[in-house]
Every structure is written in C-alpha cells, then in structure tokens.
Amino acid sequence: MKVAIMGSGGVGGYFGARLAQGGEEVTFIARGEHLAAIRQHGLAVSSIEGDVTVEPIRATDDPAEAGGVDAVIVAVKAWQVREAAEAIRPMVGPRTLVLPLENGVEAAGVLAEVLGEAPVLDGLCGILAWREGPGRIRHAGVSPFVRLGTRHPEQGDSARRLRDALDRAPGVSAEMPDDIQAAVWSKFLFICAMSGIGAITRAPIGVTRTLPETRSLTERLLAEIEAVARARGVALPEDAVTRALRFIDSLPAESTASMQRDIMAGRPSELDAQNGAVVRLGREAGVPTPINEMIHAALLPQERAARGDDAPG
C-alpha cells in the first residue's frame, strides 16, 4: 500500500517505520530539523520490539509532493487535527482512507468536517513512544497496537486491507473491533485519567497509582469519563473502569502521558481534547464532571500561556 504519515513523531514515526519495514510504500510528512535528519540519515527507531532504521526514505514537508495515496495515518497532536486535515487534501483521492490515531474521541469527527465522511475511519492506537531527537524515535513501553473501524459500509474492503498491512508490519498488531466506538472510548478512559492526574501532580504513573490519595482521584476521574460515555450511548464493557485500572497498573512505573510531558515542558498540550472534552461532552449530556472540571481549570492558565494567550480577561 501507499501510505502517508501525517505527523512523524513518536506515534507516526513508529508505525510508519514499521510499515516501511514490512514492505509498504511510506511517505513521512515532517518538518524542520526532524525532516532534515530523516532525509540525511533515515528514520531510526529504538524499540523494545527491535530497532529499525528506515533508509532510503520518502520524506517531505509538502503533502502535495506525496500525491495520491491509499491511506493517510494522521498522528499529529489532537489540537492540530483540523490544520492537518486541510494540509492532507492533496493526498486524499476517491479511494483514500484517513485513519486518526490521536488521543481523544473527536478527531474523526473533525477530519470528516473538513474532508467529508467518505475517507474517514475511526481509530486508536496504543504505544509509549516519543521523538528522542531529530530523526530518532524511542519506543519504551506497551506492545504497539492499532484498532480501526469503518464509518460506513463502503469502506470495508479498503479498511481490511489497511488493517492487514498494519498487522503484518513487524512490532505491530492491528484489528477491527466489532464496536470501534467502545474501543475508542475504552482507550480514552485510561489515557485521559492518566494524563490528567499526571499533569497536575507532575509525577510518573508509578507514584500516582500507589499513593492512596492520587489513586482515589484517578478512580473518580475514570468514573466520570465512563458516565459521559454511557450517557452518549457508548456501549462500554461493564468492567471498563476495572480494565482501565488494570492497564494503568501494568505500565512501567516511570511512564508519563504525552499530555503530561507537554505541560511539564511548557508546550501546548491536548488538555482541551482530553479533560476539557470530558467537561464539554459531559455538559452536553447532562453529566456532572467535577474532577475533570477542576483539572481542566487548574491547568488552563498554563495552557493559555503556552499558546501565547495569557492576557487577563
């Protein structure tokens, strides 16, 4: 398959490199020093699943150079999805699929608003990876997986082809769940709680899951997110919160969420797409979310400052 990776950081860089290793024709959309290093030295992935360097490599900062592709994997930050959707238009033809792998539950809807419903899939991934430096990706935890699902029946054959390409890539598992919305919200359940608690405490998961006070706060976060999902008609498993806690307990003790790392570094983060989304969607559904409201409000001044919008009023 011809696959374009829109956002070649930890998530996009990892899955794109594995697809290329598996024999797919992959184009990486990147910019700045990262793009320059990729072009000069290839894309190097250090991984608990085995290291790989993709070289020679197709990489550009102009999606139009890639031309039409079979699939675009969108792996930018959640707050960059609308801009990314506009940028990838030149790559999206009548048979192209667009797969979002963002944290959150709104990326597919944003993509569909810009590109129309025809190309857009629902999707999620699991991985603990980040850009270690220009041209270098570090994968340090979680066996990488992708889950994808169709938004209308005409996508079925092409979606299965993309799933198969991902599943045969080394160091990746992929599947199409029967209920992709339940899968997306199940992932959102733990990543939003982990992001929120980590961002306000600045502590790794090994601390927040064992300290009674922060573990209790995590459980209350999870309960609020679950209540919003169910009010919106999402058929989460009955033991969704238990599963989320089990996953949190299984992570390496030093693990941190990407939103937490961005906030700690003073960068713009996915606060609005995670805890902010719980508050916003909860209000729409008539579900109170006081813990998420507190976390969102506590972090909002720093978020506004990171975006250059810290003027009073």
Side-chain angles (χ1 to χ4, degrees):
M1 294 186 75
K2 294 180 68 174
V3 181
I5 306 296
M6 184 62 182
S8 301
V11 172
Y14 180 88
F15 289 114
R18 294 303 191 187
L19 282 165
Q21 186 184 8
E24 311 303 331
E25 184 179 327
V26 180
T27 300
F28 295 85
I29 311 300
R31 59 188 176 185
E33 291 182 343
H34 193 44
L35 174 60
I38 290 171
R39 283 173 165 169
Q40 186 172 0
H41 304 293
L43 180 63
V45 176
S46 300
S47 170
I48 58 176
E49 300 285 343
D51 299 346
V52 62
T53 297
V54 180
E55 188 182 15
I57 195 167
R58 299 176 183 86
T60 180
D61 58 2
D62 181 6
E65 288 186 6
V69 296
D70 298 311
V72 182
I73 293 177
V74 180
V76 298
K77 297 292 187 180
W79 53 273
Q80 299 171 317
V81 170
R82 189 172 298 277
E83 179 185 355
E86 295 286 358
I88 66 176
R89 283 184 187 274
M91 299 189 293
V92 180
R95 299 180 181 276
T96 305
L97 293 178
V98 179
L99 174 64
L101 296 183
E102 278 69 32
N103 293 321
V105 293
E106 299 170 301
V110 173
L111 289 168
E113 287 176 14
V114 176
L115 300 169
E117 286 285 348
V120 180
L121 299 171
D122 283 309
L124 67 128
C125 69
I127 188 172
L128 182 61
W130 60 92
R131 198 182 84 176
E132 193 172 42
R136 302 197 313 275
I137 304 298
R138 169 74 63 177
H139 164 229
V142 183
S143 295
F145 65 84
V146 175
R147 307 286 183 262
L148 62 139
T150 60
R151 290 167 70 88
H152 53 83
E154 291 79 7
Q155 296 173 321
D157 290 343
S158 297
R160 285 185 284 273
R161 186 175 168 220
L162 177 57
R163 175 204 59 196
D164 292 346
L166 285 160
D167 198 49
R168 64 175 171 260
V172 180
S173 67
E175 64 179 67
M176 293 176 65
D178 292 335
D179 187 339
I180 187 62
Q181 284 302 309
V184 167
W185 275 86
S186 291
K187 189 261 178 91
F188 183 59
L189 192 64
F190 74 78
I191 196 63
C192 182
M194 179 179 170
S195 296
I197 199 71
I200 60 170
T201 63
R202 273 41 174 185
I205 196 66
V207 173
T208 59
R209 71 190 179 199
T210 53
L211 188 66
E213 291 82 355
T214 49
R215 187 175 184 89
S216 174
L217 199 63
T218 301
E219 291 170 349
R220 292 161 70 188
L221 276 167
L222 290 166
E224 288 184 5
I225 301 164
E226 179 191 29
V228 172
R230 296 199 188 282
R232 293 177 62 84
V234 180
L236 286 173
E238 288 299 317
D239 62 345
V241 167
T242 301
R243 290 187 188 187
L245 279 170
R246 190 181 305 133
F247 184 81
I248 287 170
D249 287 338
S250 74
L251 292 171
E254 67 276 12
S255 297
T256 55
S258 60
M259 185 185 105
Q260 174 183 353
R261 295 192 295 273
D262 286 339
I263 287 175
M264 290 174 68
R267 297 187 293 260
S269 79
E270 294 182 334
L271 176 64
D272 184 63
Q274 294 199 45
N275 303 98
V278 176
V279 175
R280 184 171 60 253
L281 297 174
R283 285 174 180 163
E284 290 177 5
V287 176
T289 57
I291 306 301
N292 280 278
E293 286 184 16
M294 178 272 293
I295 288 175
H296 182 252
L299 296 172
L300 192 56
Q302 180 176 324
E303 183 68 22
R304 292 183 63 186
R307 295 175 184 271
D309 184 24
D310 55 353

